[in-house]
Amino acid sequence: MSATGIGARVRRVEDQRFITGRGQYTDDIHRPYETRAYFVRSPHAHATIKSIDKRKAEKMPGVLAVLTGEDVAADKLGDLFCGWMVLSKDGSPMKAGSHPALAKGKVRYVGDHVAVVIAETLDQAKNATAEVKVDYGVLPAVADLRKARDPKAAQIHDNAPKNTVYEWVLGDQAAVDAAFAQAKHVTRLEMVNNRLIPNAIEPRAAIGEYEPGTDTYTLWSTSQNPHVLRLGLSAFIGLCPEHKFRVISPDVGGGFGSKIFIYPEETVCIWASKKVGRPVRWTAERSESFQADAHGRDHVTTGELALDANGKMLALRVKTLANLGGYLSTFSSAVPTFLYAPLLSGQYAIPAIVCEVDGVYTNTAPVDAYRGAGRPEACFVIERLVEVAARELNMDPAELRRRNFVTQFPYQTPVASLYDAGDYKASLEKAIQIADYKNFGRRRQESERRGKLRGVGFSAYIEACGVAPSNLVGQLGAGVGLWESAEISVTPTGMVEVLTGSHSHGQSHETTFAQLVSDRLGIPMNHISVVHGDTDKVQFGMGTYGSRSGPVGMSAIVVAVDKVIAKAKKVAAHILEAAEADIEFKDGKFTVVGTDKSAAFGEIALAAYVAHKFPTAEIEPGLKEHAFYDPTNFTFPAGTHICEVEIDPQTGVTEIANWVAVDDFGTVINPMVVEGQVHGGIAQGVGQALLEGCVYDDSGQLVTGSYMDYTMPRADNLPSFKVDYTTTKCPSNPLGMKGCGEAGAIAAPVALINAITNAVGHEDVPMPATSKAVWHALQKTERRKAAE
């Protein structure tokens, strides 16, 4: 392995500009004569808009325009859309309600977009919004997911009776019922997967600019997938022809899924730039992010696991209510269905599974993909059930898992997933060894001597990553194929430009993609540049989400690089006066097999452009290739996390004493980068399990609307993680990669809750497991013991 090759711990090259303040984010970009946008947002969760009086606001200093939903409709701008069709179990299509960029006639959550003021300065825009007088007809609101389907609940969209978007099912109900009838033991749990607010360090931002001379538009945006944003705004919303529209996503400070979607703000900024004849800038204030960024999770689930007398799993039955908020976001319909139910088998050979999911509208912000997107929810369900089943059977939780692991591959689950490779036992055993699990009892006794409670929890997770196979996702309702593209352009001096459809917003693409190309071409990393995020520079690509930039995006790069090498061999054959079949390429050098005749990669690159020594009728001059890569299957990273906690029974305060993560990501390009991804994912998972929880009151007001009320994890909430790997290579892509970006967020919440419930002796501990929640669980345990 070279110092910069695959598997090397190469430092991130992009950090030089980030840590020295040289990054360029959307809010750092300033356009000549730009204006500022500020939105009038609904203070009500549910109301009709009787009228909007904007006359006084329009006359205020600096105000250029006050635009409403009537203006949007007059310009025939289409609604925002959901790009994934889900059918109910009766075959009917999901009930997608109207979602205009600016509300027309009705608002459906606090923070809904009612109007926008465009002014010379931000202060002028803010002042003018206070003078936009909206006459609301306040309606009853429903924010509680469990109350939304009540026939007496407020009707949010006219086309969705009982606020039901779909009633979806996956699996064989009859086979599950038969298995439950034969079961010797059934574990049943009610579970709530708490609602989360993404909170990327950089808030969303947009700058829209219209150029009348060429009739073209440019949008700078914090998007994770600029080409999809351009396609959506042009083809579906109808802003302008796609070839007249450029989207640039510069440096982006975190996304976690929340920046995948098409939002009203960026739509309005680019549309309004033509109306006012000047660039329009908007950057979210943190309070706006809390209100209007797409939220995550928010499930209420009943799960039942059937087992035989020996602890073998027979069947799984799951019923989930999924909150989709006031509108369907871009991919929201898929998250609690196709990204959730197919992973409910976990790492286990469960013969029969059925999952019913009812998607529900509420008067809350839209809910869509958040780091893991459906996979953390599925992992939480199956791993809580397995852990509790082990306790009910008085069996070691590791042993129950061993008895039920999938051991033969490929393995077809009853819920559509085809697991292609893995060694789940190896990850479990390695995690047990690193965690010193055999001595947990001694550590528990030591904690007890100090008046503390100690618990241990397992999470044997699996996820589907590399979201891509176009034929498969098309069958599942996706509106577009999810392949990825790459282009490799070699200059005459042998420098290499990598243009990728993947987008980097913390994933280290400028390092790992260059590392891959360096390894493949045998050239230094500093001879390679990585370009992404600009639709005028980069060929159409599908962006970054679902841990796909490695197994899909890098695979596209490999295919393109191999095409470059193949063409360069043709050129080398003429330069070295040998048959093409006799040319070998290794470590950056073309060699005639069995001779000392050779030429460096740079020499052949120059020859390809000079084009004097080969017939251009047979070989085109230049050295530039592209590829579109579409894998045949998802990838399935898996592993085991073991968490130990210590709890103060007097206060309920939980301290994480130890965390071990053993993951199987297939081929690892850069272990240091991967470890960073795992650490970050665990931190977010710990945040969900211990601290974070989005709360609306009964009237639909957001109670946790700032960092005063919404608690984020801090350094002192986290231990030093022990991270290690096992490796089985993925057979469905040329690199054997599986993806790593979401694993920590998937595995962590349930590992931590399993540890806490083990410590307190009571299963009813909600997320977030705040000190108050844990203290109450301890009181329940004490009352139960007193009654025995």
Side-chain angles (χ1 to χ4, degrees):
M1 180 178 67
S2 74
T4 60
I6 291 176
R9 302 176 69 87
V10 179
R11 289 188 177 183
R12 284 170 32 111
V13 298
E14 48 269 80
D15 282 346
Q16 177 64 32
R17 72 174 185 276
F18 291 145
I19 65 177
T20 58
R22 299 284 192 258
Q24 188 174 59
Y25 300 90
T26 299
D27 195 57
D28 294 322
I29 296 165
H30 294 278
R31 302 300 300 162
Y33 309 109
E34 69 184 15
T35 62
R36 301 300 296 264
Y38 198 75
F39 286 84
V40 178
R41 297 181 183 275
S42 172
H44 305 291
H46 199 200
T48 58
I49 300 174
K50 295 180 178 181
S51 65
I52 301 176
D53 185 349
K54 56 183 182 177
R55 290 171 295 178
K56 184 175 180 180
E58 288 175 324
K59 295 175 182 177
M60 292 184 69
V63 172
L64 302 174
V66 181
L67 304 171
T68 69
E70 298 291 342
D71 299 298
V72 171
D75 283 2
K76 296 183 171 55
L77 208 63
D79 282 356
L80 278 64
F81 60 92
C82 180
W84 201 300
M85 172 56 69
V86 172
L87 303 178
S88 287
K89 51 192 172 187
D90 64 1
S92 62
M94 65 187 188
K95 308 300 190 293
S98 175
H99 189 187
L102 294 173
K104 189 172 184 293
K106 194 176 187 182
V107 291
R108 293 177 172 88
Y109 67 96
V110 172
D112 204 352
H113 311 72
V114 176
V116 65
V117 174
I118 313 296
E120 297 285 357
T121 70
L122 180 58
D123 285 344
Q124 289 171 335
K126 283 185 175 184
N127 291 338
T129 59
E131 299 302 330
V132 178
K133 303 303 180 184
V134 184
D135 185 8
Y136 294 100
V138 179
L139 300 170
V142 57
D144 188 327
L145 173 60
R146 284 163 286 201
K147 296 178 181 177
R149 302 187 73 207
D150 189 314
K152 297 179 182 178
Q155 181 78 22
I156 298 172
H157 289 277
D158 292 342
N159 66 330
K162 295 173 63 177
N163 295 317
T164 301
V165 181
Y166 48 67
E167 296 176 325
W168 180 84
V169 66
L170 180 65
D172 188 334
Q173 182 72 64
V176 168
D177 291 345
F180 268 84
Q182 300 298 316
K184 298 299 182 183
H185 180 84
V186 173
T187 293
R188 186 178 190 276
L189 284 176
E190 302 285 340
M191 292 162 275
V192 175
N193 209 287
N194 48 321
R195 188 183 185 109
L196 302 175
I197 299 174
N199 282 301
I201 194 169
E202 178 203 22
R204 289 189 295 115
I207 305 170
E209 182 172 359
Y210 174 70
E211 173 49 60
T214 55
D215 189 29
T216 55
Y217 296 79
T218 301
L219 174 65
W220 288 263
S221 169
T222 51
S223 175
Q224 296 179 215
N225 46 357
H227 278 99
V228 175
L229 175 57
R230 183 179 72 162
L231 175 65
L233 283 170
S234 60
F236 297 100
I237 294 175
L239 174 74
C240 64
E242 190 177 9
H243 71 290
K244 293 282 190 177
F245 187 20
R246 179 184 185 184
V247 175
I248 302 170
S249 293
D251 290 329
V252 173
F256 312 117
S258 69
K259 294 175 182 174
I260 299 171
F261 322 121
I262 298 175
Y263 283 97
E265 292 91 351
E266 57 207 7
T267 304
V268 167
C269 282
I270 190 65
W271 163 71
S273 68
K274 183 175 182 180
K275 297 192 77 67
V276 301
R278 289 167 61 183
V280 176
R281 160 192 292 276
W282 170 81
T283 300
E285 296 180 343
R286 190 57 69 174
S287 59
E288 292 180 289
S289 298
F290 272 89
Q291 286 187 336
D293 283 5
H295 294 176
R297 316 290 192 249
D298 207 349
H299 286 190
V300 175
T301 296
T302 301
E304 296 175 286
L305 181 64
L307 304 100
D308 69 13
N310 297 314
K312 290 290 287 184
M313 299 176 193
L314 302 176
L316 175 67
R317 182 187 290 140
V318 175
K319 172 69 175 179
T320 293
L321 278 177
N323 196 342
L324 298 175
Y327 301 98
L328 291 186
S329 180
T330 312
F331 294 113
S332 60
S333 58
V335 175
T337 51
F338 295 111
L339 296 180
Y340 168 64
L343 278 302
L344 284 169
S345 191
Q347 298 184 8
Y348 312 110
I350 307 176
I353 301 174
V354 67
C355 177
E356 295 180 87
V357 178
D358 294 346
V360 179
Y361 286 121
T362 62
N363 292 118
T364 63
V367 179
D368 209 317
Y370 173 68
R371 197 170 189 170
R375 281 71 54 86
E377 297 92 315
C379 180
F380 192 86
V381 169
I382 185 61
E383 287 302 288
R384 280 295 289 137
L385 285 166
V386 171
E387 196 86 359
V388 174
R391 294 168 189 171
E392 292 175 347
L393 294 168
N394 198 27
M395 185 183 297
D396 185 285
E399 178 56 30
L400 181 58
R401 288 174 168 85
R402 289 189 192 99
R403 292 187 187 187
N404 290 280
F405 278 152
V406 172
T407 57
Q408 300 294 320
F409 296 90
Y411 174 78
Q412 178 65 61
T413 75
V415 279
S417 292
L418 180 64
Y419 297 170
D420 51 12
D423 188 342
Y424 307 144
K425 186 174 183 291
S427 296
L428 174 68
E429 301 303 338
K430 194 168 191 178
I432 284 173
Q433 179 186 8
I434 296 170
D436 190 26
Y437 180 59
K438 66 181 180 181
N439 288 315
F440 170 73
R442 177 179 55 78
R443 293 191 295 277
R444 171 173 269 179
Q445 290 175 354
E446 292 172 356
S447 294
E448 288 173 354
R449 281 196 294 270
R450 292 184 286 105
K452 301 293 181 69
L453 302 173
R454 198 175 190 97
V456 63
F458 286 74
S459 175
Y461 78 94
I462 191 168
E463 56 169 325
C465 287
V467 179
S470 297
N471 182 53
L472 178 56
V473 299
Q475 293 176 41
L476 298 178
V480 293
L482 296 177
W483 41 264
E484 196 48 86
S485 69
E487 184 176 293
I488 304 297
S489 179
V490 184
T491 71
T493 58
M495 304 297 111
V496 175
E497 190 174 58
V498 180
L499 298 102
T500 173
S502 299
H503 185 272
S504 182
H505 39 277
Q507 291 84 356
S508 311
H509 291 172
E510 292 172 44
T511 302
T512 55
F513 286 18
Q515 200 171 338
L516 170 64
V517 174
S518 171
D519 184 89
R520 209 81 174 180
L521 293 180
I523 61 175
M525 279 183 62
N526 61 8
H527 288 190
I528 302 163
S529 62
V530 178
V531 180
H532 64 91
D534 186 337
T535 61
D536 268 15
K537 292 182 178 179
V538 177
Q539 68 292 332
F540 196 103
M542 300 309 298
T544 295
Y545 41 87
S547 300
R548 70 191 302 275
S549 57
V552 188
M554 294 180 88
S555 291
I557 290 172
V558 166
V559 174
V561 167
D562 287 349
K563 288 181 179 181
V564 166
I565 293 171
K567 181 176 180 180
K569 280 185 175 181
K570 296 178 184 292
V571 175
H574 286 278
I575 302 303
L576 298 174
E577 299 177 331
E580 183 183 336
D582 292 332
I583 300 295
E584 179 183 68
F585 181 66
K586 185 178 180 182
D587 298 331
K589 184 180 293 187
F590 295 90
T591 304
V592 180
V593 176
T595 74
D596 60 357
K597 295 174 66 177
S598 66
F601 178 79
E603 295 176 64
I604 298 304
L606 181 61
Y609 284 92
V610 172
H612 287 168
K613 297 188 177 180
F614 58 86
T616 55
E618 297 176 16
I619 306 172
E620 289 184 359
L623 199 52
K624 180 178 181 179
E625 297 289 345
H626 71 271
F628 288 82
Y629 179 77
D630 197 359
T632 56
N633 194 6
F634 295 102
T635 66
F636 296 94
T640 296
H641 288 216
I642 301 177
C643 170
E644 275 188 45
V645 299
E646 193 172 67
I647 297 173
D648 184 338
Q650 301 302 312
T651 64
V653 171
T654 300
E655 179 183 349
I656 300 173
N658 190 26
W659 198 293
V660 172
V662 176
D663 301 290
D664 179 359
F665 297 137
T667 300
V668 171
I669 301 297
N670 186 322
M672 184 165 60
V673 166
V674 169
E675 287 163 17
Q677 290 288 323
V678 173
H679 290 183
I682 295 172
Q684 284 184 276
V686 168
Q688 174 173 11
L690 274 188
L691 304 163
E692 298 181 51
C694 174
V695 177
Y696 286 89
D697 69 14
D698 289 341
S699 68
Q701 292 294 324
L702 180 62
V703 176
T704 52
S706 75
Y707 291 128
M708 293 294 289
D709 304 294
Y710 188 94
T711 308
M712 299 289 287
R714 300 183 181 185
D716 61 356
N717 298 124
L718 304 168
S720 293
F721 307 115
K722 299 172 184 175
V723 176
D724 212 325
Y725 310 101
T726 59
T727 302
T728 59
K729 294 193 175 183
C730 174
S732 65
N733 64 70
L735 287 167
M737 298 180 70
K738 296 185 180 183
C740 68
E742 296 164 299
I746 292 167
V750 70
L752 185 46
I753 294 299
N754 281 342
I756 292 172
T757 53
N758 177 245
V760 304
H762 198 288
E763 301 301 345
D764 187 17
V765 178
M767 292 194 295
T770 62
S771 56
K772 180 180 178 181
V774 172
W775 187 86
H776 278 296
L778 285 164
Q779 304 318 300
K780 291 179 183 178
T781 301
E782 291 301 316
R783 288 194 294 270
R784 185 190 67 207
K785 288 179 179 178
E788 290 175 352

